[in-house]
Amino acid sequence: MARFEGVVEKISFRSDGSGFTVAQVKLEDGSRLAAVGLMPLLLAGERAAFDGDVVEHREYGRQIRVSFVESVRPESLDGIEKYLASGLIRGVGPATAKLIVEEFGARTLDVLESEPDRLTEVPGIGRKRAALIAESFLNHSQMRGSMMFLQRYGLSPALAAKVYRVFGDRTERVASENPYRLADEVEGVGFKTADRIALSMGFSLESEFRLKSGVRYALSEAANASGHMYLPLTELVEHARQMLGADEDLVDNAVRSLMISGGLEADDLDGETAVYLPWLYEAECDAAFRLIRLKRSFERQDLEEGRADRLIAEAEDEAGMELCPEQREAVCEVEREGVLVITGGPGTGKTTTLNCILKLLDEFGGAELCAPTGRAAKRMSEATGRPARTIHRLLEYAGEDGRFQRDEHNPLDCRAVVVDEMSMVDIFLLRALLRAIPQGTRLVMVGDKDQLPSVGAGNVLKDIIASGAVPTVTLTEVFRQAATSMIVRNAHRINRGAYPELNQRGTDFFLERRESVQSAVDSVVKLVTRRLPNYMGLDPLRDIQVMAPMKRSDGGVFALNAALQQALNPPAPGKPEMNRGEALFRLGDKVMQIKNNYGLQWRRGGEIGEGAFNGDIGFIREIDRLGELVTVEFDDGREAEYGLQELEELELAYCMSVHKSQGSEFDCVVLPLVAGPRMLMTRNLLYTAVTRAKKLVVVVGREACLKNMVDNDYIDRRFSALDRRLRAWLTK
């Protein structure tokens, strides 16, 4: 790596999203090179020093691949003039820049820094404009200094900009006094980054700042990785102690200090001290309060005599079947109750029941239909013949902070809300929905309680049912039409602990026996690329979905994605690629959004909007290597542009984890099962995977592994207390 110094003659390209910049630079020896890298603050006319390597780009020739850049105060009059005229300083254009430099010459920047009142000596600049120019110059100097300070410690320009937006001109002081505030107060920095910065500054491993931030990080990781709302005190102390490598007493003291100061919330739950992050505690308590209040606000509205029977008869005629007693009960409960849960497995008639309920709700003014994901909303719309939206769109999300425009101050205008795939709803989405539903409105929640819980924090559906605070109708009868499917029959067999029936002629559930991981991977690739498309006419990208219980094993998500990418979308001349960390993205790849990004802009025809959500699936339609931009078209027609930083929100989706498949259905599911840790290879996970398939399930691997999963009824406990809080509110 070498250092290059020169004057920026031109900014050829800049991505607003990532800060990736291509700049034409005149070096000290008079030669010219393009400098490329993350340089969001670099401006034409300024003098800068670049750390990087000269590389030969196959399309654009020699260029400096920049790893670090810092501004060097311009010295020449021409450089100073270009710097001032760059557009950065408010109130200064090219003409004014020329006048300022003519007036003050080589001392121009000194005047701006130390004697800004003298700007009034320049013709055409009054006191008000001079103050504006001086303030803008000072703000830019402070921002640039702070950004450079942070980048010296390894923060990317994008993260450094986020930090500066939070702390402003206090950035350097805050980061020097307590770097852990960056993790605690700035989205995206993270404890590990702050810890690296702090330790490089000489902070102790047993620093109180470090211990407190580490404890909060332990709770945050428990929520993000495992869905816990809280951790018991003893578990929190032990987990944080191992993570920080610190003395147990010191960690315990840090936890208790945070509890006293309000940095953590503690609650006694059945004799156990539960420790929460404040926002998780608030969300759980508020959601429980609002759900009970909604239930109590409902006033019963009786239908005219015989109206319910007529509506049920109409639904039966349309479905060509009679409703069972459980389905009739669900319809009647919707009339009687303001809040209701309907749960059931595949083939139990949830869709038929829902369509009948919607006819009933039409009598009361209709209903808004919604689901947690775009795929689930699309399925709901197809099943009911009515428009359905994601919960986010229903609540009109706005901005990257995840705020919703619909809340208690701007509630939904409807008489009823019906939510499908309720098992996917986490505590924050539940709370947001309840805030927007006006009192007296019906709320019907539909889902399968035996599915895996939400990716986000909480155990919402199971807790609501377990509380007994909300009427629940459980559909158990499997209808004859559905019972002909081995997918449906085997799903119910698995759920009750019985082994699935395999490889029966003319059925839709098969086991392809493979003993080793590699033979299973090879078989999956052949099934997806040749056998299933050739013999069943399935599109390998749109109709077939490979799922795996684990991510990083030899037969896990990442390994299978690499193998399937090579088989389905191999490299070719003229087909652009882009690396981001361990990931390699190629034009045409099937990809998935793996975290909510409320601020990501998209287009769909003439429509413009914001937001990409965990689980959204699409295809890479364009890769701009120069600008380091990737364009993804999602399956609902939205097109979004990803900069270098946003690319970490994407994963290949030829194979996905079973957890990520929730809310989606696919014509065919291919499920490799050879081996894995007991806590992952569970009946619950197998059931969830099987119920994602509409037409065909192919299990590839060891029959013993399949049976072991059926036998393993282990359910990883999620620490949540929504059920207890609902019961508590019922008594108030």
Side-chain angles (χ1 to χ4, degrees), residues 109-128:
L109 298 183
D110 292 329
V111 170
L112 285 166
E113 283 179 353
S114 308
E115 303 174 90
D117 290 344
R118 291 191 61 191
L119 285 170
T120 58
E121 299 173 17
V122 178
I125 298 180
R127 290 188 177 277
K128 189 174 181 180

Side-chain angles (χ1 to χ4, degrees), residues 234-531:
T234 53
E235 289 198 26
L236 172 59
V237 170
E238 176 59 20
H239 180 52
R241 184 195 67 77
Q242 292 183 10
M243 182 188 74
L244 296 169
D247 180 79
E248 182 178 339
D249 289 339
L250 291 175
V251 175
D252 187 75
N253 289 338
V255 173
R256 296 182 186 278
S257 176
L258 285 166
M259 288 160 58
I260 293 170
S261 67
L264 296 176
E265 293 283 350
D267 205 355
D268 181 61
L269 298 176
D270 303 327
E272 177 182 72
T273 300
V275 186
Y276 289 80
L277 290 167
W279 51 92
L280 286 167
Y281 179 79
E282 183 186 355
E284 189 173 81
C285 293
D286 193 45
F289 162 72
R290 291 178 183 274
L291 189 59
I292 296 302
R293 186 177 66 171
L294 182 64
K295 171 181 163 64
R296 287 173 172 168
S297 72
F298 176 77
E299 295 182 4
R300 174 171 173 162
Q301 301 179 48
D302 291 323
L303 285 175
E304 298 175 12
E305 187 176 351
R307 184 76 60 87
D309 290 337
R310 177 179 63 79
L311 293 172
I312 289 173
E314 288 177 3
E316 290 175 333
D317 287 342
E318 289 181 9
M321 57 185 281
E322 289 187 7
L323 269 63
C324 69
E326 294 163 350
Q327 292 174 302
R328 290 173 174 268
E329 179 190 2
V331 177
C332 294
E333 284 291 282
V334 170
E335 178 190 355
R336 290 191 289 261
E337 299 287 348
V339 179
L340 177 69
V341 171
I342 300 171
T343 184
T348 57
K350 291 195 297 294
T351 298
T352 302
T353 307
L354 179 57
N355 281 320
C356 189
I357 286 170
L358 293 175
K359 285 182 175 290
L360 175 63
L361 293 175
D362 286 340
E363 303 286 328
F364 298 118
E368 290 280 0
L369 277 60
C370 60
T373 67
R375 281 179 164 262
K378 183 179 180 182
R379 286 175 48 220
M380 190 182 192
S381 183
E382 292 169 349
T384 62
R386 301 170 183 242
R389 293 180 277 180
T390 64
I391 298 174
H392 288 85
R393 293 201 72 179
L394 176 67
L395 301 183
E396 300 174 17
Y397 60 86
E400 61 181 14
D401 60 357
R403 292 179 178 260
F404 295 98
Q405 295 185 33
R406 294 289 186 173
D407 56 18
E408 61 266 46
H409 305 297
N410 182 29
L412 297 169
D413 183 16
C414 59
R415 301 296 299 161
V417 175
V418 181
V419 186
D420 200 11
E421 294 288 354
M422 193 65 197
S423 64
M424 298 180 65
V425 174
D426 63 26
I427 194 68
F428 295 108
L429 200 51
L430 174 68
R431 182 198 190 192
L433 182 63
L434 292 172
R435 288 181 66 190
I437 296 177
Q439 296 187 53
T441 301
R442 286 178 168 87
L443 173 61
V444 181
M445 296 171 281
V446 183
D448 185 347
K449 63 180 176 58
D450 296 313
Q451 295 279 355
L452 291 169
S454 60
V455 175
N459 205 8
V460 167
L461 180 61
K462 287 185 178 179
D463 275 359
I464 291 174
I465 294 172
S467 73
V470 173
T472 300
V473 178
T474 302
L475 305 178
T476 58
E477 183 176 331
V478 180
F479 288 87
R480 287 194 303 274
Q481 298 94 321
T484 61
S485 166
M486 290 305 301
I487 296 174
V488 173
R489 288 171 60 182
N490 280 337
H492 286 278
R493 289 179 64 86
I494 291 166
N495 203 32
R496 63 176 185 265
Y499 299 142
E501 299 173 11
L502 303 170
N503 297 353
Q504 296 187 9
R505 186 179 295 275
T507 62
D508 50 14
F509 197 110
F510 296 92
L511 169 67
E512 182 153 304
R513 292 175 173 83
R514 295 290 184 270
E515 291 299 313
S516 72
V517 173
Q518 189 56 55
S519 64
V521 170
D522 293 342
S523 184
V524 167
V525 172
K526 290 176 183 176
L527 280 164
V528 174
T529 58
R530 296 198 299 274
R531 294 170 58 189

Side-chain angles (χ1 to χ4, degrees), residues 101-113:
V101 173
E102 286 177 350
E103 181 69 32
F104 301 114
R107 294 195 66 248
T108 294
L109 298 183
D110 292 329
V111 170
L112 285 166
E113 283 179 353

Side-chain angles (χ1 to χ4, degrees), residues 150-169:
L150 293 170
Q151 289 181 63
R152 289 190 190 100
Y153 290 101
L155 261 67
S156 70
L159 273 183
K162 280 189 175 182
V163 173
Y164 188 82
R165 283 198 291 271
V166 173
F167 298 115
D169 60 3

